[in-house]
Amino acid sequence: MAYYRINGGRPLEGQVTISGAKNAALAIIPAAILAGQPCIIENLPIIEDVHVLTDILRLMGATVDLHENGWMRIDPTTIDNFEVTFDMVSKLRASYYLLGAMLGRYGHAALALPGGCSIGPRPIDFHIKGMRALGAKVSIKNGVVYADAEELRGADIYLDMVSVGATINIMLAACRAEGVTVITNAAKEPHVVDVANFLNMIGASIKGAGTDTIRIRGVKELHGCNYAIIPDQIEAGTFMIAAAATGGNVVINNIIPTHLEAISAKLMECGVMVTEGDDGSEFYMQVQASERLRAVNIKTLPYPGFPTDLQQPMMALLCSAKGNSYVMENIFEDRFNHVPELVRMGASITVTGRTALIEGVESLSGAAVHATDLRAGAALIVAALAADGVSTVHNIHFIDRGYEHFEQKLRSLGADIERVEE
Ligand code: EPZ
């Protein structure tokens, strides 16, 4: 096991380039199964989750070449195993996209039910409701979802709750269904749009991605393509928060400004200077903070609201803001496991149900803390970078799942951070 040793209190300064979007990659790689021909996917983040998904596809028989520069060639024509075991799913919850991709391509799928995780039970009932609406026979036996369909037929599907995963999974299965599928109350996240763009590149007919109504007209044949995925909105937001929390001055390159409007607005409300620009080839965001930040209130919402994946890093920043903030987590049932760790660093936080009240303190102090999930780990790193003294952040395998070259990028911004192998 490894941990980070961070000597805090140093402003982050300099430039950082954002990697490809994890949550786009984890959907687009399985989506290539639908193509029925080899696809090239570029700008993939080289993170643990992408390695795990690559291994799962290879276990299924796909031919996958993944290069350290984020280039992947995936040939799905050699797939000969259609069962995604619990061992695979337990390593990567997002394996559930294989359900929609395999059902859409082969008319059959068997997927072990994903367990909950440290942010809530995270069922996939909306996904199953969508597959059934498309005409699949879905049964659950011994914790495995079996889905079969002679022929998938387009349907009108209303999602009771906005769900990124269900929206994407239904899109995958509907691509080759007979007729038109309409998803109402669809998720609008940037990575939903990125998946729709990839699917259209392989010959699908999808309109309305990015709105709450997506129309998919089924087509019989799909083909290979070359596709580069979007920059990671959450990684960019994490660096914006870290720059602000340390009173730094950071230029963040390779971003899409519209994806960051909620986080930019909240940071400006705290008193942070956020400016965007482009150097002729790509957009950048500059984040500067000198004064002590002001307390603000946060409510997580589906896109374009404040993203739940930035709730935890943002709370770390608010711990030493001037005044009281409250954070309302409206997406997941249990996304405050980072709170006790922040309290160990001197934060003053009270949690009642889905709301946390943060009373700003002058500054946090370094401590030994443990990550409980990916974004909780990011929050503890933000807190340690801002805190006085030395912290050790443990369970950083969570962080390796979703942030590419994280410590290298932070060190290039002047952070005193080192990875220690226990
Ligand atoms: C995706 O998870 C992301 N994961 C999450 O990012 C992100 O937090 C979440 O979307 C919200 O933006 C990936 O893309 C791999 P949901 P997902 O379906 O699809 C409930 C990270 O750190 N729900 O939008 O699982 C669910 O429990 C991760 O990168 C059902 O009840 O999220 C949650 O309360 C964490 N039944 C709410 O809906 C279902 O069938 C929203 O979940 C599906 C979801």
Side-chain angles (χ1 to χ4, degrees):
M1 299 287 273
Y3 64 87
Y4 285 137
R5 186 183 179 284
I6 295 169
N7 184 12
R10 303 156 63 105
L12 295 184
E13 289 174 346
Q15 301 208 24
V16 65
T17 297
I18 297 306
S19 302
K22 165 179 89 79
N23 292 342
L26 296 181
I28 288 172
I29 294 170
I33 292 173
L34 288 161
Q37 289 181 349
C39 289
I40 305 287
I41 306 170
E42 298 183 276
N43 198 36
L44 287 168
I46 300 305
I47 53 178
E48 189 53 26
D49 275 4
V50 167
H51 283 302
V52 170
L53 186 53
T54 300
D55 292 345
I56 290 172
L57 281 158
R58 286 174 178 151
L59 281 173
M60 292 170 64
T63 311
V64 187
D65 299 313
L66 174 61
H67 294 237
E68 274 307 301
N69 64 358
W71 181 96
M72 173 186 278
R73 181 179 185 279
I74 175 168
D75 178 358
T77 58
T78 53
I79 287 178
D80 56 6
N81 169 12
F82 304 100
E83 176 135 9
V84 185
T85 64
F86 182 72
D87 180 45
M88 296 175 183
V89 172
S90 59
K91 290 192 183 79
L92 180 68
R93 189 189 136 68
S95 319
Y96 50 51
Y97 289 132
L98 291 165
L99 179 67
M102 289 196 294
L103 196 58
R105 181 80 207 159
Y106 307 110
H108 169 73
L111 175 99
L113 274 172
C117 65
S118 67
I119 60 177
R122 300 184 74 182
I124 60 166
D125 50 327
F126 303 158
H127 301 234
I128 292 170
K129 172 186 168 186
M131 303 307 154
R132 283 182 171 140
L134 292 170
K137 285 189 181 47
V138 182
S139 60
I140 298 175
K141 274 196 290 284
N142 310 323
V144 177
V145 178
Y146 295 93
D148 289 277
E150 280 301 304
E151 180 185 61
L152 292 171
R153 304 192 66 76
D156 291 341
I157 301 169
Y158 172 79
L159 290 178
D160 306 52
M161 263 174 86
V162 173
S163 161
V164 169
T167 301
I168 291 175
N169 229 348
I170 293 165
M171 265 197 317
L172 296 177
C175 276
R176 297 174 72 241
E178 185 63 36
V180 176
T181 297
V182 179
I183 306 174
T184 312
N185 199 23
K188 299 181 271 196
E189 271 69 4
H191 34 290
V192 172
V193 178
D194 211 25
V195 175
N197 289 341
F198 171 82
L199 292 170
N200 283 337
M201 283 285 277
I202 63 171
S205 174
I206 300 175
K207 290 186 172 44
T211 75
D212 52 17
T213 305
I214 300 177
R215 279 176 178 70
I216 304 111
R217 176 178 299 285
V219 294
K220 270 302 146 229
E221 272 323 303
L222 296 166
H223 50 74
C225 77
N226 278 39
Y227 191 79
I229 65 171
I230 54 170
D232 193 314
Q233 162 208 27
I234 303 303
E235 184 196 15
T238 306
F239 276 101
M240 290 171 72
I241 292 168
T246 56
N249 179 355
V250 174
V251 172
I252 298 158
N253 295 311
N254 188 32
I255 50 112
I256 298 173
T258 48
H259 294 172
L260 300 167
E261 277 173 2
I263 181 63
S264 298
K266 274 298 161 184
L267 288 176
M268 286 189 278
E269 202 182 316
C270 290
V272 179
M273 194 152 80
V274 180
T275 46
E276 66 181 69
D278 73 78
D279 63 6
S281 64
E282 65 181 31
F283 287 103
Y284 66 83
M285 195 74 89
Q286 181 164 11
V287 176
Q288 294 168 270
S290 46
E291 309 296 315
R292 185 174 176 200
L293 301 180
R294 292 190 292 270
V296 294
N297 297 328
I298 301 286
K299 288 182 185 174
T300 64
L301 287 169
Y303 188 85
F306 192 92
T308 174
D309 292 346
L310 289 176
Q311 175 262 105
Q312 294 150 296
M314 190 68 188
M315 190 187 286
L317 176 151
L318 294 174
C319 287
S320 47
K322 193 163 187 299
N324 295 347
S325 311
Y326 74 74
V327 172
M328 194 179 282
E329 173 54 60
N330 296 308
I331 308 294
F332 288 107
E333 295 82 353
D334 183 17
R335 202 167 195 172
F336 287 141
N337 290 318
H338 52 298
V339 168
E341 301 303 303
L342 291 172
V343 169
R344 287 170 52 77
M345 299 179 76
S348 174
I349 307 172
T350 314
V351 173
T352 312
R354 287 192 178 205
T355 302
L357 174 65
I358 300 115
E359 295 170 75
V361 296
E362 273 299 318
S363 72
L364 296 178
S365 49
V369 288
H370 291 75
T372 49
D373 60 81
L374 167 59
R375 308 301 177 183
L380 296 176
I381 288 178
V382 168
L385 290 168
D388 297 333
V390 176
S391 298
T392 52
V393 180
H394 300 264
N395 295 344
I396 57 174
H397 56 280
F398 286 115
I399 297 164
D400 295 341
R401 293 189 45 197
Y403 289 97
E404 184 182 50
H405 307 320
F406 202 34
E407 69 259 27
Q408 292 90 329
K409 290 181 178 179
L410 286 170
R411 248 203 307 276
S412 74
L413 293 173
D416 179 355
I417 177 174
E418 66 168 322
R419 187 187 185 97
V420 180
E421 297 298 336
E422 273 180 308

